[in-house]
Protein backbone atom coordinates (compact mmCIF):
# COMPACT_ATOMS: atom_id res chain seq x y z
CA UNK A 1 0.00 0.00 0.00
CA UNK A 2 2.81 2.33 0.83
CA UNK A 3 4.23 1.91 -2.64
CA UNK A 4 0.86 2.55 -4.25
CA UNK A 5 0.23 5.62 -2.11
CA UNK A 6 3.63 6.91 -3.02
CA UNK A 7 2.81 6.52 -6.67
CA UNK A 8 -0.52 8.36 -6.22
CA UNK A 9 0.99 11.30 -4.45
CA UNK A 10 2.18 14.02 -6.80
CA UNK A 11 5.64 15.43 -6.35
CA UNK A 12 6.01 18.66 -4.47
CA UNK A 13 5.55 21.69 -6.60
CA UNK A 14 4.00 19.66 -9.38
CA UNK A 15 0.56 21.37 -9.09
CA UNK A 16 -1.43 23.98 -7.09
CA UNK A 17 -4.01 21.55 -5.67
CA UNK A 18 -3.20 19.45 -2.62
CA UNK A 19 -5.85 16.82 -3.42
CA UNK A 20 -4.58 13.68 -5.16
CA UNK A 21 -5.36 13.25 -8.77
CA UNK A 22 -7.33 10.26 -9.97
CA UNK A 23 -4.97 7.89 -11.71
CA UNK A 24 -5.30 4.38 -12.89
CA UNK A 25 -3.53 1.59 -10.98
CA UNK A 26 -1.82 0.34 -14.13
CA UNK A 27 1.77 1.40 -14.62
CA UNK A 28 2.27 4.34 -16.94
CA UNK A 29 2.83 3.59 -20.58
CA UNK A 30 6.45 3.60 -21.62
CA UNK A 31 7.50 4.40 -25.18
CA UNK A 32 8.71 1.46 -27.25
CA UNK A 33 12.20 2.89 -27.57
CA UNK A 34 12.54 3.20 -23.79
CA UNK A 35 11.32 -0.38 -23.35
CA UNK A 36 13.99 -1.64 -25.71
CA UNK A 37 16.64 0.33 -23.84
CA UNK A 38 15.49 -1.15 -20.53
CA UNK A 39 15.60 -4.67 -21.96
CA UNK A 40 19.11 -4.17 -23.27
CA UNK A 41 20.38 -2.63 -20.06
CA UNK A 42 23.29 -4.50 -18.52
CA UNK A 43 23.26 -5.24 -14.77
CA UNK A 44 25.61 -3.11 -12.75
CA UNK A 45 27.57 -6.16 -11.63
CA UNK A 46 28.48 -7.02 -15.24
CA UNK A 47 29.48 -3.57 -16.44
CA UNK A 48 33.27 -3.61 -16.96
CA UNK A 49 35.35 -1.17 -15.01
CA UNK A 50 37.37 1.59 -16.61
CA UNK A 51 40.50 0.55 -18.46
CA UNK A 52 43.68 1.43 -16.59
CA UNK A 53 42.00 2.00 -13.23
CA UNK A 54 44.12 4.35 -11.12
CA UNK A 55 45.26 2.92 -7.79
CA UNK A 56 45.36 5.01 -4.62
CA UNK A 57 48.77 3.67 -3.66
CA UNK A 58 51.50 1.20 -4.51
CA UNK A 59 50.22 -2.40 -4.55
CA UNK A 60 53.17 -4.28 -6.03
CA UNK A 61 51.60 -5.80 -9.15
CA UNK A 62 54.69 -5.02 -11.20
CA UNK A 63 56.69 -7.32 -8.92
CA UNK A 64 55.10 -10.28 -10.75
CA UNK A 65 57.52 -9.67 -13.62
CA UNK A 66 60.45 -9.84 -11.22
CA UNK A 67 59.12 -13.11 -9.78
CA UNK A 68 58.79 -14.63 -13.23
CA UNK A 69 62.28 -13.47 -14.17
CA UNK A 70 63.86 -14.94 -11.02
CA UNK A 71 62.06 -18.26 -11.45
CA UNK A 72 62.94 -18.49 -15.13
CA UNK A 73 66.59 -17.70 -14.47
CA UNK A 74 66.71 -20.52 -11.93
CA UNK A 75 65.12 -23.12 -14.22
CA UNK A 76 66.72 -21.87 -17.44
CA UNK A 77 65.59 -22.18 -21.06
CA UNK A 78 65.56 -25.02 -23.54
CA UNK A 79 66.10 -24.32 -27.23
CA UNK A 80 66.56 -26.95 -29.92
CA UNK A 81 67.71 -25.97 -33.39
CA UNK A 82 68.31 -28.08 -36.49
CA UNK A 83 70.54 -27.14 -39.42
CA UNK A 84 69.95 -28.82 -42.78
CA UNK A 85 71.95 -28.49 -45.97
CA UNK A 86 74.61 -30.00 -48.15
CA UNK A 87 78.16 -30.45 -46.95
CA UNK A 88 80.45 -27.46 -47.28
CA UNK A 89 77.76 -24.77 -46.88
CA UNK A 90 79.03 -23.69 -43.45
CA UNK A 91 76.30 -25.09 -41.19
CA UNK A 92 78.60 -25.79 -38.25
CA UNK A 93 80.36 -22.46 -38.65
CA UNK A 94 77.04 -20.64 -38.74
CA UNK A 95 75.89 -22.22 -35.48
CA UNK A 96 79.20 -21.33 -33.84
CA UNK A 97 78.76 -17.76 -35.08
CA UNK A 98 75.21 -17.54 -33.74
CA UNK A 99 76.23 -18.44 -30.20
CA UNK A 100 79.82 -17.19 -30.37
CA UNK A 101 81.22 -20.47 -29.10
CA UNK A 102 82.17 -23.93 -30.31
CA UNK A 103 78.77 -25.54 -29.92
CA UNK A 104 78.39 -27.53 -33.15
CA UNK A 105 81.48 -29.74 -32.95
CA UNK A 106 83.08 -31.76 -30.19
CA UNK A 107 86.64 -32.89 -30.36
CA UNK A 108 88.31 -35.72 -28.52
CA UNK A 109 91.56 -33.78 -28.50
CA UNK A 110 91.80 -30.12 -27.50
CA UNK A 111 92.52 -27.76 -30.35
CA UNK A 112 91.35 -30.17 -33.01
CA UNK A 113 87.93 -30.37 -34.61
CA UNK A 114 86.28 -33.70 -35.16
CA UNK A 115 85.82 -34.64 -38.79
CA UNK A 116 82.09 -34.98 -39.42
CA UNK A 117 81.18 -38.07 -41.45
CA UNK A 118 79.03 -37.48 -44.50
CA UNK A 119 76.15 -39.77 -43.57
CA UNK A 120 72.42 -39.23 -43.49
CA UNK A 121 72.39 -40.16 -39.80
CA UNK A 122 71.50 -37.16 -37.64
CA UNK A 123 73.80 -35.96 -34.88
CA UNK A 124 72.69 -33.98 -31.84
CA UNK A 125 74.98 -32.09 -29.48
CA UNK A 126 73.75 -30.45 -26.26
CA UNK A 127 75.46 -27.59 -24.44
CA UNK A 128 74.52 -25.33 -21.55
CA UNK A 129 75.23 -21.70 -22.41
CA UNK A 130 75.13 -18.96 -19.79
CA UNK A 131 75.04 -15.20 -20.38
CA UNK A 132 74.53 -12.64 -17.60
CA UNK A 133 73.09 -15.24 -15.26
CA UNK A 134 70.64 -16.65 -17.85
CA UNK A 135 71.19 -20.33 -18.65
CA UNK A 136 70.03 -21.95 -21.86
CA UNK A 137 70.21 -25.64 -22.69
CA UNK A 138 71.00 -25.60 -26.39
CA UNK A 139 70.67 -28.69 -28.57
CA UNK A 140 72.04 -28.51 -32.13
CA UNK A 141 71.03 -31.25 -34.56
CA UNK A 142 73.14 -31.54 -37.70
CA UNK A 143 72.43 -33.43 -40.93
CA UNK A 144 75.92 -33.96 -42.36
CA UNK A 145 75.04 -35.92 -45.50
CA UNK A 146 71.77 -34.34 -46.58
CA UNK A 147 71.58 -34.04 -50.37
CA UNK A 148 75.10 -35.38 -50.95
CA UNK A 149 74.07 -38.66 -52.55
CA UNK A 150 73.68 -39.27 -56.28
CA UNK A 151 70.11 -40.41 -55.68
CA UNK A 152 68.53 -38.08 -53.11
CA UNK A 153 65.09 -39.65 -53.26
CA UNK A 154 63.36 -39.52 -49.87
CA UNK A 155 66.49 -38.13 -48.21
CA UNK A 156 64.20 -36.07 -45.96
CA UNK A 157 62.66 -39.17 -44.37
CA UNK A 158 65.28 -39.48 -41.57
CA UNK A 159 64.72 -35.81 -40.68
CA UNK A 160 60.93 -36.15 -40.59
CA UNK A 161 61.28 -39.33 -38.55
CA UNK A 162 63.55 -37.61 -36.03
CA UNK A 163 61.20 -34.64 -35.60
CA UNK A 164 58.18 -36.91 -35.09
CA UNK A 165 60.13 -39.04 -32.63
CA UNK A 166 60.69 -35.98 -30.44
CA UNK A 167 56.96 -35.18 -30.58
CA UNK A 168 56.18 -38.79 -29.66
CA UNK A 169 58.59 -38.71 -26.74
CA UNK A 170 56.98 -35.56 -25.36
CA UNK A 171 53.48 -37.00 -25.89
CA UNK A 172 54.31 -40.20 -24.00
CA UNK A 173 55.51 -38.17 -21.03
CA UNK A 174 52.46 -35.93 -21.18
CA UNK A 175 49.79 -38.67 -21.14
CA UNK A 176 51.25 -40.48 -18.12
CA UNK A 177 49.05 -40.62 -15.03
CA UNK A 178 51.93 -39.46 -12.85
CA UNK A 179 53.73 -36.85 -14.91
CA UNK A 180 57.02 -35.16 -14.27
CA UNK A 181 56.85 -31.67 -12.89
CA UNK A 182 58.75 -30.46 -15.96
CA UNK A 183 58.71 -32.59 -19.08
CA UNK A 184 62.08 -32.60 -20.89
CA UNK A 185 61.60 -30.77 -24.16
CA UNK A 186 63.59 -32.26 -27.04
CA UNK A 187 61.24 -31.04 -29.79
CA UNK A 188 62.86 -29.13 -32.66
CA UNK A 189 61.87 -25.48 -32.33
CA UNK A 190 63.49 -24.20 -35.51
CA UNK A 191 65.01 -25.68 -38.65
CA UNK A 192 67.49 -23.51 -40.57
CA UNK A 193 67.66 -24.67 -44.16
CA UNK A 194 70.79 -23.71 -46.12
CA UNK A 195 70.21 -22.95 -49.79
CA UNK A 196 73.32 -23.23 -52.03
CA UNK A 197 74.36 -19.85 -53.52
CA UNK A 198 73.72 -20.87 -57.12
CA UNK A 199 72.11 -17.58 -58.10
CA UNK A 200 69.44 -19.34 -60.15
CA UNK A 201 66.23 -20.91 -58.83
CA UNK A 202 65.47 -23.30 -55.99
CA UNK A 203 66.24 -26.90 -56.83
CA UNK A 204 63.48 -29.53 -56.74
CA UNK A 205 65.20 -30.96 -53.66
CA UNK A 206 64.94 -27.61 -51.86
CA UNK A 207 61.28 -27.15 -52.77
CA UNK A 208 60.26 -30.67 -51.78
CA UNK A 209 62.11 -30.51 -48.48
CA UNK A 210 60.62 -27.18 -47.42
CA UNK A 211 57.16 -28.22 -48.62
CA UNK A 212 57.22 -31.32 -46.41
CA UNK A 213 59.05 -29.92 -43.41
CA UNK A 214 57.15 -26.63 -43.15
CA UNK A 215 54.07 -28.63 -42.11
CA UNK A 216 55.71 -30.09 -39.00
CA UNK A 217 58.41 -27.60 -37.96
CA UNK A 218 59.37 -23.92 -38.25
CA UNK A 219 61.58 -23.67 -41.36
CA UNK A 220 63.85 -20.63 -41.81
CA UNK A 221 65.62 -20.62 -45.21
CA UNK A 222 68.98 -18.86 -45.59
CA UNK A 223 71.36 -18.34 -48.50
CA UNK A 224 74.64 -19.90 -47.44
CA UNK A 225 78.01 -18.29 -48.20
CA UNK A 226 76.39 -15.16 -49.57
CA UNK A 227 79.82 -13.54 -50.00
CA UNK A 228 80.20 -15.57 -53.20
CA UNK A 229 77.46 -13.44 -54.82
CA UNK A 230 77.51 -9.80 -55.75
CA UNK A 231 74.86 -7.53 -54.27
CA UNK A 232 72.91 -7.53 -57.54
CA UNK A 233 73.08 -11.32 -57.84
CA UNK A 234 72.04 -11.70 -54.21
CA UNK A 235 68.99 -9.44 -54.60
CA UNK A 236 67.89 -11.23 -57.77
CA UNK A 237 68.40 -14.65 -56.20
CA UNK A 238 66.32 -13.69 -53.16
CA UNK A 239 63.51 -12.46 -55.38
CA UNK A 240 63.49 -15.73 -57.33
CA UNK A 241 63.38 -17.75 -54.11
CA UNK A 242 60.46 -15.70 -52.83
CA UNK A 243 58.63 -16.29 -56.10
CA UNK A 244 59.30 -20.03 -55.87
CA UNK A 245 57.99 -20.21 -52.31
CA UNK A 246 54.86 -18.29 -53.26
CA UNK A 247 54.24 -20.34 -56.41
CA UNK A 248 54.49 -23.66 -54.56
CA UNK A 249 52.51 -22.39 -51.51
CA UNK A 250 55.35 -23.06 -49.07
CA UNK A 251 54.84 -21.26 -45.77
CA UNK A 252 58.15 -20.64 -44.01
CA UNK A 253 58.63 -18.99 -40.64
CA UNK A 254 57.23 -16.51 -39.65
CA UNK A 255 53.88 -17.70 -41.04
CA UNK A 256 51.23 -15.11 -41.83
CA UNK A 257 48.47 -17.28 -40.35
CA UNK A 258 49.97 -17.09 -36.86
CA UNK A 259 50.29 -13.30 -36.53
CA UNK A 260 48.29 -12.40 -33.43
CA UNK A 261 47.98 -8.61 -33.58
CA UNK A 262 48.78 -5.71 -35.94
CA UNK A 263 52.15 -5.04 -34.26
CA UNK A 264 53.30 -8.63 -34.79
CA UNK A 265 52.06 -8.55 -38.37
CA UNK A 266 53.96 -5.33 -39.12
CA UNK A 267 57.17 -6.74 -37.63
CA UNK A 268 56.83 -10.09 -39.38
CA UNK A 269 56.03 -8.42 -42.70
CA UNK A 270 59.39 -6.65 -42.57
CA UNK A 271 61.07 -9.97 -41.81
CA UNK A 272 59.23 -11.78 -44.62
CA UNK A 273 60.48 -9.19 -47.09
CA UNK A 274 64.08 -10.12 -46.20
CA UNK A 275 63.65 -13.91 -46.25
CA UNK A 276 65.74 -15.84 -47.18
CA UNK A 277 68.55 -14.19 -45.25
CA UNK A 278 71.84 -13.95 -47.09
CA UNK A 279 74.33 -14.96 -44.40
CA UNK A 280 78.06 -15.39 -43.96
CA UNK A 281 79.47 -17.42 -41.08
CA UNK A 282 82.82 -16.96 -39.37
CA UNK A 283 84.01 -18.04 -35.94
CA UNK A 284 87.35 -16.22 -35.98
CA UNK A 285 88.04 -12.68 -34.78
CA UNK A 286 90.02 -10.06 -36.69
CA UNK A 287 91.27 -6.58 -35.90
CA UNK A 288 89.31 -3.86 -37.73
CA UNK A 289 89.83 -0.19 -36.83
CA UNK A 290 91.10 -1.12 -33.39
CA UNK A 291 88.16 -3.42 -32.65
CA UNK A 292 87.90 -7.19 -32.55
CA UNK A 293 85.16 -8.36 -34.90
CA UNK A 294 83.94 -11.70 -36.18
CA UNK A 295 84.69 -12.00 -39.86
CA UNK A 296 86.23 -13.82 -42.77
CA UNK A 297 89.49 -12.54 -44.17
CA UNK A 298 89.97 -12.39 -47.94
CA UNK A 299 92.57 -10.71 -50.11
CA UNK A 300 90.06 -7.92 -50.79
CA UNK A 301 89.45 -7.26 -47.11
CA UNK A 302 87.53 -8.60 -44.12
CA UNK A 303 83.88 -9.57 -44.34
CA UNK A 304 82.29 -8.63 -41.03
CA UNK A 305 79.47 -11.03 -40.28
CA UNK A 306 77.82 -8.67 -37.78
CA UNK A 307 77.86 -5.71 -40.16
CA UNK A 308 74.46 -5.30 -41.89
CA UNK A 309 76.21 -3.69 -44.85
CA UNK A 310 78.16 -6.90 -45.49
CA UNK A 311 75.54 -9.62 -44.89
CA UNK A 312 72.20 -10.31 -43.20
CA UNK A 313 73.51 -12.46 -40.40
CA UNK A 314 72.34 -9.95 -37.72
CA UNK A 315 68.76 -10.36 -39.01
CA UNK A 316 68.97 -14.14 -38.65
CA UNK A 317 70.43 -13.89 -35.15
CA UNK A 318 67.76 -11.42 -34.05
CA UNK A 319 65.03 -13.66 -35.43
CA UNK A 320 66.26 -16.86 -33.80
CA UNK A 321 67.40 -15.47 -30.45
CA UNK A 322 66.61 -11.87 -29.63
CA UNK A 323 63.06 -11.34 -30.88
CA UNK A 324 61.36 -14.63 -31.85
CA UNK A 325 62.91 -17.38 -29.72
CA UNK A 326 59.88 -17.67 -27.45
CA UNK A 327 57.54 -17.39 -30.42
CA UNK A 328 59.34 -20.30 -32.10
CA UNK A 329 58.76 -22.40 -29.00
CA UNK A 330 55.11 -21.33 -28.70
CA UNK A 331 54.28 -22.18 -32.32
CA UNK A 332 56.08 -25.51 -31.98
CA UNK A 333 53.98 -26.39 -28.92
CA UNK A 334 50.63 -24.86 -29.89
CA UNK A 335 50.58 -25.62 -33.61
CA UNK A 336 52.99 -28.31 -34.80
CA UNK A 337 53.00 -30.48 -31.68
CA UNK A 338 49.27 -30.02 -31.23
CA UNK A 339 48.64 -31.26 -34.78
CA UNK A 340 50.80 -34.32 -34.13
CA UNK A 341 49.07 -34.92 -30.78
CA UNK A 342 45.58 -34.77 -32.30
CA UNK A 343 46.58 -37.13 -35.10
CA UNK A 344 48.14 -39.67 -32.73
CA UNK A 345 45.24 -39.65 -30.29
CA UNK A 346 42.76 -40.10 -33.14
CA UNK A 347 44.78 -43.08 -34.37
CA UNK A 348 44.85 -44.65 -30.91
CA UNK A 349 41.09 -44.18 -30.44
CA UNK A 350 40.24 -45.61 -33.84
CA UNK A 351 38.57 -49.05 -33.53
CA UNK A 352 40.68 -51.97 -34.69
Amino acid sequence: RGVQAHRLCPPRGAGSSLEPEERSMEPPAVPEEEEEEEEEAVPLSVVPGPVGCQLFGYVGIEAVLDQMKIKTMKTGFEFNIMVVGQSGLGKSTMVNTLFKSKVSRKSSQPGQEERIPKTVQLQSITHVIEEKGVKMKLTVTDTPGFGDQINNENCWDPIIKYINEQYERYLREEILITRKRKIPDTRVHGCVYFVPPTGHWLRPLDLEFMRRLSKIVNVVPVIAKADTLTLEERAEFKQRIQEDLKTHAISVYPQEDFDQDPEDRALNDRIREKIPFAVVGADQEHQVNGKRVLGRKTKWGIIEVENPAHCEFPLLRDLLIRSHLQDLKDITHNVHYESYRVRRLNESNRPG
Side-chain angles (χ1 to χ4, degrees):
R1 290 180 180 178
V3 174
Q4 294 176 357
H6 179 70
R7 288 179 177 175
L8 291 174
C9 293
R12 294 183 180 180
S16 58
S17 176
L18 296 177
E19 294 181 2
E21 299 177 358
E22 293 184 2
R23 297 184 180 180
S24 112
M25 298 301 294
E26 296 179 359
V30 181
E32 294 181 0
E33 296 181 359
E34 294 182 5
E35 287 181 356
E36 293 178 359
E37 291 178 1
E38 290 180 0
E39 291 178 359
E40 296 177 358
V42 182
L44 292 177
S45 59
V46 185
V47 176
V51 179
C53 181
Q54 192 69 25
L55 302 177
F56 295 108
Y58 179 75
V59 177
I61 300 176
E62 64 176 4
V64 176
L65 297 176
D66 296 333
Q67 298 174 31
M68 296 173 63
K69 181 180 179 181
I70 293 172
K71 188 173 182 179
T72 306
M73 290 180 67
K74 287 181 180 179
T75 57
F77 296 90
E78 291 177 333
F79 186 59
N80 308 316
I81 187 173
M82 174 183 284
V83 288
V84 182
Q86 288 183 341
S87 302
L89 293 181
K91 300 186 298 296
S92 302
T93 305
M94 178 57 61
V95 175
N96 291 338
T97 310
L98 276 173
F99 300 98
K100 294 187 177 181
S101 59
K102 302 285 186 179
V103 296
S104 64
R105 296 182 182 180
K106 284 186 176 180
S107 175
S108 56
Q109 299 180 2
Q112 295 182 3
E113 291 184 346
E114 181 183 2
R115 176 177 289 275
I116 299 178
K118 296 181 181 181
T119 61
V120 187
Q121 184 179 2
L122 278 70
Q123 300 177 352
S124 296
I125 300 175
T126 301
H127 294 269
V128 177
I129 302 176
E130 184 174 356
E131 182 181 31
K132 295 183 179 180
V134 180
K135 295 181 180 179
M136 185 173 69
K137 184 180 178 182
L138 173 68
T139 301
V140 180
T141 304
D142 194 3
T143 56
F146 175 81
D148 289 345
Q149 311 300 322
I150 296 177
N151 183 7
N152 291 312
E153 185 178 3
N154 298 329
C155 62
W156 46 77
D157 284 348
I159 300 174
I160 295 177
K161 181 182 177 182
Y162 176 83
I163 294 174
N164 288 331
E165 284 177 353
Q166 310 315 310
Y167 289 152
E168 181 69 21
R169 181 180 300 180
Y170 193 91
L171 178 61
R172 291 186 180 276
E173 292 287 344
E174 194 178 44
I175 63 178
L176 291 176
I177 298 177
T178 305
R179 297 189 295 184
K180 297 179 181 179
R181 189 172 182 181
K182 184 180 180 182
I183 301 176
D185 190 4
T186 59
R187 298 169 297 181
V188 178
H189 301 130
C191 174
V192 182
Y193 185 74
F194 287 72
V195 178
T198 59
H200 302 293
W201 299 88
L202 287 176
R203 303 169 301 170
L205 174 63
D206 304 327
L207 293 171
E208 189 64 21
F209 175 86
M210 287 191 281
R211 186 184 68 83
R212 292 174 179 265
L213 268 292
S214 61
K215 299 176 181 178
I216 61 174
V217 72
N218 299 314
V219 178
V220 181
V222 298
I223 301 174
K225 294 188 174 180
D227 53 331
T228 60
L229 301 172
T230 64
L231 295 179
E232 293 78 12
E233 291 173 343
R234 190 176 77 180
E236 186 177 357
F237 190 35
K238 290 181 65 171
Q239 184 177 0
R240 289 177 177 176
I241 292 177
Q242 292 174 358
E243 293 175 1
D244 274 345
L245 295 176
K246 187 176 181 180
T247 302
H248 294 83
I250 299 174
S251 179
V252 297
Y253 184 84
Q255 300 90 335
E256 294 185 9
D257 298 338
F258 304 148
D259 293 339
Q260 297 181 353
D261 51 57
E263 293 183 0
D264 290 345
R265 181 174 294 276
L267 174 61
N268 292 337
D269 284 342
R270 292 194 297 269
I271 295 174
R272 282 186 281 263
E273 292 176 358
K274 299 289 185 179
I275 283 181
F277 300 122
V279 298
V280 177
D283 49 8
Q284 295 182 356
E285 290 186 342
H286 299 276
Q287 195 82 13
V288 178
N289 298 328
K291 296 181 180 180
R292 304 288 295 178
V293 297
L294 283 173
R296 177 177 296 175
K297 188 175 182 180
T298 65
K299 54 177 149 182
W300 298 281
I302 296 177
I303 303 172
E304 303 175 28
V305 298
E306 294 182 321
N307 189 345
H310 292 187
C311 70
E312 295 176 339
F313 169 80
L315 300 178
L316 175 65
R317 180 189 57 198
D318 293 347
L319 176 70
L320 294 178
I321 303 174
R322 299 186 180 181
S323 62
H324 286 67
L325 187 146
Q326 189 60 43
D327 187 62
L328 285 165
K329 299 179 66 174
D330 292 341
I331 292 181
T332 299
H333 180 77
N334 298 326
V335 179
H336 299 304
Y337 168 71
E338 193 67 20
S339 300
Y340 178 84
R341 173 181 167 276
V342 170
R343 186 174 70 253
R344 287 288 290 115
L345 294 180
N346 286 335
E347 291 174 357
S348 61
N349 294 332
R350 192 174 301 164

